[in-house]
Amino acid sequence: MCTTCGCGGSEVKIEGHDHDEGNRRHRHGDESQPAHVHAPGMDGRRMVRIEQDILAKNQRHADANRRHLAERGIFALNLVSSPGSGKTTLLVRTVEALQHRLPVAVIEGDQQTARDAERIRATGVTALQINTGKGCHLDAHMVGHALEQLQPAVGGALFIENVGNLVCPAAFDLGEGHKVVVLSVTEGEDKPLKYPDMFHAADLMLLNKVDLLPYLEFDVDVCIDYARRINPKLSVLQVSAIRGDGMTAWLDWIERGAGLASAAIR
Ligand SMILES: Nc1nc2c(ncn2[C@@H]2O[C@H](COP(=O)(O)OP(=O)(O)OP(=O)(O)O)[C@@H](O)[C@H]2O)c(=O)[nH]1
Ligand SMILES: [Zn+2]
Ligand SMILES: [Zn+2]
Ligand SMILES: [Zn+2]
């Protein structure tokens, strides 16, 4: 997992946040400092302790984010997947459809560039880009700052697109209501078995790019069976962000969740 994979670092950039809060300068991405790969000679027990510290610190930030979101009745989703599964394409379609029905905002995570945030902003919806530098996942500390900056509206939906990575983001709670794993059919039906942590952590799987099924050897039923062997409670929707399949069911799922989140503060 990420806390031991040697990724991370202090090159995090959050749009509008200059890392200088009063005189209390602090670094971002410290939670994902390398723990073993670049630490020859470090013994296993010390490595485990560092990993536990990183996750405990992340959990404190995640708990604070979750409280902040709950107090404002905001329904937050953390979209996780391999690079290129179609998260941003799906989000663009999603916010285009939802923005006239409820307040929506997006936090985008990528190692570099603001391309995804710009794609969202082109729809008229507010988006904020986090660049993680060498980091391979968003952490709850970064998302906390993004929330301060973005100020998502009370009673709305917040979408957090995580860094494309089917492994490390599974371990980092951001304070979201649900993790939504996006798996595209071009990735192969065995991914839930090979990368179980992500499918275990998610509540919903969006099986995307179903418009390509006629050109692939991909058995949808087998894929869903594999995913539910890992997580029997996993909900599944088959979608195509390009052609529009399954979008109504996905939008209904979001609106149901957002309705419950905002009802809780009334
Ligand atoms: N055929 C087809 N292509 C899709 C679909 N959804 C996304 N794509 C294509 O998949 C490619 C990647 O889409 P993105 O939306 O950038 O994927 P992403 O998951 O946001 O990528 P990263 O942020 O880099 O991880 C693009 O070329 C999209 O046009 C779909 O439903 N069907
Ligand atoms: Zn990692
Ligand atoms: Zn900070
Ligand atoms: Zn994207």
Side-chain angles (χ1 to χ4, degrees):
M1 68 183 270
C2 185
T3 51
T4 53
C5 77
C7 52
S10 54
E11 301 166 24
V12 176
K13 290 199 193 83
I14 301 170
E15 283 180 328
H17 175 64
D18 65 1
H19 296 194
D20 191 358
E21 297 156 55
N23 293 322
R24 192 167 55 85
R25 257 184 187 283
H26 62 263
R27 300 191 331 155
H28 297 107
D30 287 354
E31 284 85 348
S32 52
Q33 283 295 302
H36 82 227
V37 172
H38 303 298
M42 187 185 289
D43 72 63
R45 267 204 313 232
R46 180 158 148 68
M47 225 165 69
V48 168
R49 208 168 54 237
I50 288 174
E51 194 172 301
Q52 285 170 343
D53 286 351
I54 288 168
L55 290 175
K57 200 164 155 193
N58 185 73
Q59 197 57 52
R60 285 195 293 276
H61 287 291
D63 292 345
N65 292 348
R66 186 165 283 114
R67 269 196 308 276
H68 177 93
L69 293 163
E71 282 162 11
R72 287 161 183 76
I74 297 169
F75 183 58
L77 298 178
N78 176 3
L79 272 79
V80 288
S81 81
S82 310
S85 68
K87 297 179 295 302
T88 312
T89 310
L90 258 166
L91 277 181
V92 165
R93 289 299 175 93
T94 302
V95 300
E96 276 172 351
L98 278 184
Q99 63 176 318
H100 305 296
R101 302 195 223 165
L102 75 165
V104 283
V106 177
I107 295 171
E108 284 289 347
D110 285 292
Q111 287 197 322
Q112 299 290 348
T113 87
R115 294 171 73 96
D116 281 2
E118 282 157 12
R119 286 166 70 188
I120 301 293
R121 288 195 279 256
T123 68
V125 165
T126 313
L128 187 137
Q129 183 77 48
I130 300 175
N131 286 136
T132 57
K134 294 203 190 309
C136 59
H137 62 275
L138 293 176
D139 67 40
H141 181 182
M142 300 170 195
V143 169
H145 281 305
L147 288 172
E148 287 166 7
Q149 211 61 42
L150 194 61
Q151 303 263 342
V154 170
L158 172 70
F159 300 94
I160 306 168
E161 178 181 338
N162 217 312
V163 177
N165 175 343
L166 204 48
V167 182
C168 309
F172 288 80
D173 184 4
L174 304 180
E176 71 276 351
H178 303 280
K179 281 191 177 72
V180 176
V181 61
V182 182
L183 178 66
S184 57
V185 295
T186 49
E187 294 170 61
E189 64 223 357
D190 56 0
K191 290 302 165 290
L193 297 182
K194 290 180 174 170
Y195 301 93
D197 289 354
M198 194 64 89
F199 294 85
H200 193 259
D203 295 313
L204 173 68
M205 173 168 89
L206 295 178
L207 192 57
N208 189 32
K209 308 195 188 181
V210 295
D211 58 292
L212 298 179
L213 282 171
Y215 312 104
L216 302 167
E217 282 184 26
F218 183 100
D219 189 323
V220 170
D221 293 335
V222 167
C223 179
I224 295 172
D225 174 54
Y226 287 163
R228 290 213 171 111
R229 279 192 216 173
I230 302 300
N231 179 356
K233 293 192 185 135
L234 188 69
S235 300
V236 180
L237 295 172
Q238 297 179 43
V239 299
S240 165
I242 295 281
R243 205 171 58 184
D245 309 38
M247 287 304 285
T248 306
W250 161 233
L251 294 172
D252 286 350
W253 188 89
I254 297 166
E255 286 195 285
R256 258 199 317 278
L260 289 172
S262 63
I265 59 162
R266 272 191 228 121

